[in-house]
Amino acid sequence: MSFATSTGLASVSMSDIAREAEISPATAYRHFASVEEVLVAYRYGIGERLRSSATSRRAKA
C-alpha cells in the first residue's frame, strides 16, 4: 500500500486499492465491504507475519 503513504489513508478509495492490486473495484467489493475492512485485513496480515518471524527466530536461538 505504498500509494497510501503519499496521499494519506484518509484519501484512499476502494478504486485506489483495486488499482494497486490489479483487480477491478467490483472484485475488491466482493471480498471487502469497505476500505476500513481492507485496512484491518492488511494490518492483521502484517501482525501475523511479525509473530511468525519472531517465533521462528526464537526457535532458532
Side-chain angles (χ1 to χ4, degrees):
M1 285 219 225
S2 59
F3 64 94
T5 58
S6 62
T7 62
L9 289 176
S11 64
V12 173
S13 70
M14 193 64 98
S15 293
D16 295 330
I17 292 168
R19 188 177 320 105
E20 185 79 9
E22 297 180 358
I23 59 173
S24 72
T27 299
Y29 276 113
R30 197 170 302 131
H31 297 278
F32 300 98
S34 66
V35 170
E36 289 77 20
E37 281 190 17
V38 174
L39 296 176
V40 166
Y42 181 75
R43 285 184 223 136
Y44 179 81
I46 289 173
E48 286 296 303
R49 281 185 273 173
L50 288 171
R51 278 189 288 281
S52 176
S53 177
T55 301
S56 83
R57 284 190 196 141
R58 276 185 249 144
K60 290 178 184 178

